[in-house]
């Protein structure tokens, strides 16, 4: 009974965490489980869109109806997005993307010794920032995962990355954000009223995203 208002639209959704290798057995990552991104992809499919879900490793079954492309690193995510971006209509980046990778991952397992271990990290490309620079017909939606100054930090990302909307997410709370079924977010758009969601499940948050965009 939902309005199929995305028929003929191409939607890209990213979900989950990226992984950056330290050595063959260890890596750097974050707490994203993919629940938010999968909910967004599911909602886009329900509305009739042609959806590509680019996801880091998760424990989730892909019951979204979207075409799933699995990646590990930020670099891999960027390569895939670049392939589909030009012809896409909406891009929603719910993935928690690593900002840094290990400059020289060890070829063999690093052995411990008496000394400190120093990892040198190099900046990753900021995918949304690149997409924002090349934006044409696409509606670009980012998330902002913040532990302080939620609205101010999210607003800065909206402007810097040339987004049409940012979904500000307080990830300092245990009851929303990472790993939970529920979320509570603030939608920020250029020159429009800021809208706060109630605390509700990630499917409802996804409906609100598409209603607004
Ligand atoms: O997966 P769940 O467990 O359900 O958790 C959901 C969530 C908390 C991960 C999700 O709601 C969320 O907030 N996702 C954004 C996580 C994030 O990377 O936020 P950020 O503020 O660091 O980045 C801002 C935006 O830029 C994001 O849309 C991110 O995808 C994008 N980004 C970040 C870094 C980078 N190198 N390239 C990017 O494109």
């Amino acid at each position: 009974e939902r309005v199929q208002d995305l028929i003929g639209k191409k939607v890209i959704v990213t979900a989950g965490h990226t992984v950056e290798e330290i050595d063959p057995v260890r890596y750097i990552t974050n707490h994203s489980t993919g629940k938010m991104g999968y909910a967004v992809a599911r909602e886009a499919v329900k509305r009739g869109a042609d959806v590509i879900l680019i996801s880091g490793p998760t424990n989730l079954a892909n019951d979204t109806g979207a075409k799933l492309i699995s990646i590990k690193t930020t670099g891999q995510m960027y390569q895939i997005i670049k392939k589909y971006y030009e012809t896409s209509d909406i891009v929603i980046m719910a993935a928690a993307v690593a900002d840094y990778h290990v400059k020289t991952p060890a070829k063999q397992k690093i052995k411990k010794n008496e000394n400190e271990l120093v990892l040198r990290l190099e900046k990753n490309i900021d995918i949304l920032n690149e997409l924002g620079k090349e934006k044409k017909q696409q509606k670009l939606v980012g998330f902002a995962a913040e532990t302080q100054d939620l609205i101010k930090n999210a607003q800065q990302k909206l402007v810097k990355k040339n987004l049409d909307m940012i979904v500000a997410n307080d990830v300092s709370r245990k009851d929303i954000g990472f790993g939970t079924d529920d979320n509570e977010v603030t939608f920020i758009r250029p020159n429009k009223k800021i809208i706060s969601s109630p605390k509700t499940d990630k499917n409802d948050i996804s409906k609100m995203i598409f209603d607004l965009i």
Side-chain angles (χ1 to χ4, degrees), residues 20 23 30 35 47 52 56 89 91 95 102 123 130 137 139 143-144 157 184 199 203:
E20 303 296 347
D23 69 14
N30 62 66
K35 283 184 179 177
R47 290 182 183 227
I52 293 177
D89 300 293
V91 180
V102 177
K123 255 174 106 173
E130 296 305 308
Q137 79 283 357
K139 297 286 180 216
F143 274 70
K157 288 176 183 173
E184 184 180 323
K199 182 174 157 182
N203 299 319

Side-chain angles (χ1 to χ4, degrees), residues 13-19 29-39 53-60 68-69 71-74 77 92-98 178-179:
V13 180
T14 66
H17 56 256
T18 60
V19 164
T29 190
N30 62 66
H31 295 298
S32 173
T33 59
K35 283 184 179 177
M36 188 66 245
Y38 276 57
L53 172 59
I54 306 172
S55 176
T58 72
N59 293 319
L60 305 175
L68 175 69
I69 301 178
I71 55 86
K72 279 195 174 155
T73 66
T74 301
M77 180 177 277
I92 303 190
M93 293 273 303
V97 179
F178 290 124

